[in-house]
Amino acid sequence: MAKAISPCIFCQIARSSNSTPLLHSDDKVVAFKDINPSAFRHYLIIPVEHIPTVNDLQRRNEDYTLVSHMINVGETLLRRDAPQSNQYRFGFHQPPFNSVDHLHLHCFALPFIPRWKQLKYMSLGPLGGFIEAEKLLEKIKPLSPIPP
Ligand code: AMP
Ligand code: ZN
């Protein structure tokens, strides 16, 4: 039987079944350049597994470890590729402000280019909008200590 083609563009990228070059891949996450960059460097880190949005993450070890790993990969890539940039930002759009329903961490080496694009990545307080990665980590941090 023919294999079903995933309708999710980021699943296709995670499986290397399209031509997007990967900056990093392991069994949990892949990284690639945003097709429409908003900053000097703008990378996306996604889980290999299809997790739709931040609303699907829970306060549990598995999700906390995954998001921590996504941030670590993003930091490592930006430090390597934009060592001269003295400001990095990491975060997620919360629904309905996301445009792709496969979890993705935005990783920026600033400045935003053009400057107005920073408006796309602002917290909208109680309305949601963009959430900084560290703030999301706090929200999903397990209440019991993570085993070593
Ligand atoms: P968001 O609006 O937070 O859901 O971000 C989705 C991001 O994915 C946008 O910054 C898009 O430019 C980016 N994007 C969409 N399709 C692709 C693709 N095929 N390859 C790389 N980046 C993409
Ligand atoms: Zn997907």
Side-chain angles (χ1 to χ4, degrees):
M1 203 163 66
K3 219 174 161 188
I5 297 171
S6 170
C8 172
I9 180 72
F10 284 3
C11 276
Q12 290 173 23
I13 293 173
R15 291 185 207 130
S16 295
S17 52
N18 78 8
S19 56
T20 304
L22 299 183
L23 302 168
H24 168 96
S25 76
D26 60 44
D27 58 335
K28 296 282 180 212
V29 305
V30 304
F32 53 95
K33 290 184 180 172
D34 194 291
I35 203 167
N36 182 18
S38 295
F40 173 61
R41 292 285 183 278
H42 183 177
Y43 297 161
L44 299 176
I45 319 292
I46 65 171
V48 172
E49 182 191 349
H50 181 88
I51 299 172
T53 74
V54 290
N55 290 352
D56 298 286
L57 298 172
Q58 292 170 38
R59 199 183 270 285
R60 54 178 183 164
N61 291 346
E62 193 187 328
D63 291 353
Y64 185 84
T65 306
L66 174 67
V67 174
S68 302
H69 181 49
M70 290 167 77
I71 299 168
N72 283 338
V73 169
E75 273 178 358
T76 303
L77 290 173
L78 289 183
R79 279 188 210 288
R80 182 194 71 185
D81 296 350
Q84 71 281 34
S85 178
N86 54 12
Q87 229 191 328
Y88 304 125
R89 272 189 72 198
F90 304 91
F92 300 84
H93 274 126
Q94 303 171 94
F97 297 93
N98 60 317
S99 60
V100 177
D101 266 341
H102 181 132
L103 187 68
H104 46 281
L105 173 66
H106 289 274
C107 305
F108 303 107
L110 301 185
F112 285 110
I113 302 172
R115 280 297 247 283
W116 64 262
K117 283 222 184 176
Q118 66 186 295
L119 298 174
K120 286 174 72 175
Y121 308 100
M122 281 171 46
S123 165
L124 299 177
L127 293 177
F130 193 75
I131 182 168
E132 301 294 327
E134 289 299 329
K135 199 166 172 194
L136 177 71
L137 266 187
E138 277 308 307
K139 280 176 80 170
I140 62 170
K141 190 174 187 168
L143 298 172
S144 48
I146 300 176

